Amino acid sequence: MTLESSEQEFTSRFAAYAAQGTVYAGREGSPLLEFAAGGRVLYLFDRNGPYAASPGPAQVIVHGVLEPGGLQRLAEGAQPPEEKLAVLGISALEGQGRVLAVMRQVWVVQARLPLVLATWHEAPQVREGEWISFRTLAPLHGFVLS
């Protein structure tokens, strides 16, 4: 299984789930894109190439690969779930959110911002509308639309 056949294919497939935020000026020679969205600052491996993103308002697809066992369904309980998102290290995430879309081993999750999460490992069967918790590996990837 492959997660993408090209940057263009991945971008067109997930464009509807791009996060709205702000791209900051990049450091010369750094492959990381600094992107603020959902009240968090994320450092994303820039998949569009160096200097493709201009500083300012932007739409960016934020893509993370889940660590093994990094996706769990939230147990149904008395307390209603809420979106959570924490940055781990420089470029990994942990959080919980509602599943917006499911495509094979890829889930789009709303957790303060839309995230496209994928795995190479076994994961529980999750449907659209369910709530999950997740933990990604570093680095997160960023596909800039505008």
Side-chain angles (χ1 to χ4, degrees):
M1 180 187 83
T2 60
L3 298 179
E4 63 184 68
S5 57
S6 71
E7 289 86 359
Q8 294 80 14
E9 179 272 331
F10 190 90
T11 299
S12 65
R13 186 165 30 135
F14 294 106
Y17 303 108
Q20 304 289 324
T22 303
V23 169
Y24 291 98
R27 185 174 178 157
E28 185 68 31
S30 174
L32 295 180
L33 182 69
E34 188 175 5
F35 179 62
R40 303 291 182 263
V41 176
L42 308 175
Y43 291 92
L44 311 172
F45 182 71
D46 186 356
R47 294 300 305 274
N48 298 95
Y51 316 111
S54 299
Q59 293 180 294
V60 178
I61 300 167
V62 178
H63 172 55
V65 175
L66 296 163
E67 65 180 33
L71 182 140
Q72 301 293 322
R73 289 170 132 152
L74 289 184
E76 292 184 28
Q79 190 173 21
E82 64 179 88
E83 295 178 18
K84 296 180 182 177
L85 190 64
V87 178
L88 305 174
I90 291 178
S91 187
L93 296 173
E94 179 177 65
Q96 68 181 35
R98 187 173 58 84
V99 176
L100 301 177
V102 178
M103 298 164 219
R104 293 174 44 205
Q105 293 290 93
V106 178
W107 301 267
V108 179
V109 178
Q110 177 64 39
R112 297 184 63 98
L113 63 133
L115 303 165
V116 178
L117 304 175
T119 187
W120 300 107
H121 306 282
E122 288 292 319
Q125 293 293 317
V126 177
R127 295 180 311 233
E128 290 180 19
E130 287 188 291
W131 284 78
I132 63 165
S133 65
F134 59 87
R135 188 175 174 114
T136 71
L137 298 167
L140 297 169
H141 290 221
F143 297 80
V144 179
L145 300 182
S146 63

